[in-house]
Amino acid sequence: MSSITQFLMERSSEPRLEAPAPPREVVDVALQCAARAPDHALLRPWRYLVIEGQALTALGELFAQACGDNDGDKARERAKSAPLRAPMIIVGIASPKPHKKVPDVEQIMSAAAGMSFLSLALSDAGYGVMWRSGSFAYDPAILEGLGLAEGETITGFLYTGTVSSEKPPVPRPSCADFVEEWSGPKQSRPWSV
Ligand SMILES: Cc1cc2nc3c(=O)[nH]c(=O)nc-3n(C[C@H](O)[C@H](O)[C@H](O)COP(=O)(O)O)c2cc1C
């Protein structure tokens, strides 16, 4: 088994993160890995925002402002402190470009593949990662506050930093649970033109 396969077999998300955040040179390499995502027609339909330090507090304010009138103070406080669960957040943004042959969904998948590559590279460098979305990822006020343009969406908030304590192992499904062999349509269809 190659070291890459071994690494993938052993990876897991880590929600308990603390400072230090990955340094800029590690983040740069990880973002270059993100840019290696398969990308139909080379549209580069993604971009990223790196958020750390005081800007995490500003993101928390944005989350709190997005809470509805029916949310209580507790929910607002939780929203405010959510970004402080890691010393760095990288926001993945899918930015589909108009194209005759490549529908938006393919471009969003490319952006999601980039998020995976980004998270794997950070993890390979020894940092913990946790890909999160939550309702904030779909809230128009948050999208506006983060500067998303019309048609752009958030693929996720990638929380990253130093693992403070590893999470317990997650049970992994076996291939038999989610793979079958397809050997042709169950009922043959009539030949038609
Ligand atoms: C698009 C996307 C959004 C996610 N959002 C959340 C989230 O908001 N909260 C959460 O606890 N896990 C979220 N997850 C799942 C975690 O990132 C993680 O995969 C899960 O906890 C399982 O851990 P594992 O990666 O070690 O298997 C999300 C995953 C994806 C792909």
Side-chain angles (χ1 to χ4, degrees), residues 35-120:
R36 289 277 175 153
D39 174 13
H40 194 172
L42 306 184
L43 298 174
R44 313 303 188 218
W46 17 253
R47 60 191 188 90
Y48 296 88
L49 304 174
V50 179
I51 303 180
E52 59 182 329
Q54 270 306 107
L56 291 171
T57 308
L59 182 62
E61 299 284 354
L62 194 60
F63 283 1
Q65 284 163 21
C67 288
D69 291 340
N70 293 335
D71 296 318
D73 286 347
K74 249 190 178 161
R76 242 181 300 281
E77 279 311 308
R78 237 194 346 264
K80 203 169 168 181
S81 60
L84 307 178
R85 288 176 289 181
M88 178 182 281
I89 294 176
I90 302 177
V91 186
I93 298 171
S95 191
K97 312 286 184 298
H99 193 278
K100 272 190 283 194
K101 288 189 182 158
V102 188
D104 284 6
V105 63
E106 283 193 17
Q107 300 187 45
I108 294 166
M109 287 193 281
S110 173
M115 278 291 272
S116 273
F117 289 7
L118 174 67
S119 81
L120 292 170

Side-chain angles (χ1 to χ4, degrees), residues 160-193:
T160 185
T162 303
V163 177
S164 55
S165 66
E166 283 184 16
K167 76 171 179 192
V170 172
R172 304 292 171 182
S174 71
C175 291
D177 295 333
F178 63 95
V179 183
E180 25 182 338
E181 197 174 321
W182 188 84
S183 49
K186 290 209 167 58
Q187 287 172 352
S188 55
R189 277 177 286 166
W191 181 258
S192 63
V193 182

Side-chain angles (χ1 to χ4, degrees), residues 11-14 130-134 138 155-156 167 170 172:
R11 72 149 289 279
S12 65
S13 307
E14 291 296 346
M130 179 79 184
W131 184 343
R132 297 180 189 273
S133 53
Y138 308 100
T155 51
K167 76 171 179 192
V170 172
R172 304 292 171 182

Side-chain angles (χ1 to χ4, degrees), residues 137-159:
Y138 308 100
D139 188 301
I142 306 274
L143 304 194
E144 191 188 340
L146 287 170
L148 270 71
E150 182 79 30
E152 289 187 324
T153 49
I154 288 179
T155 51
F157 297 99
L158 192 70
Y159 286 63

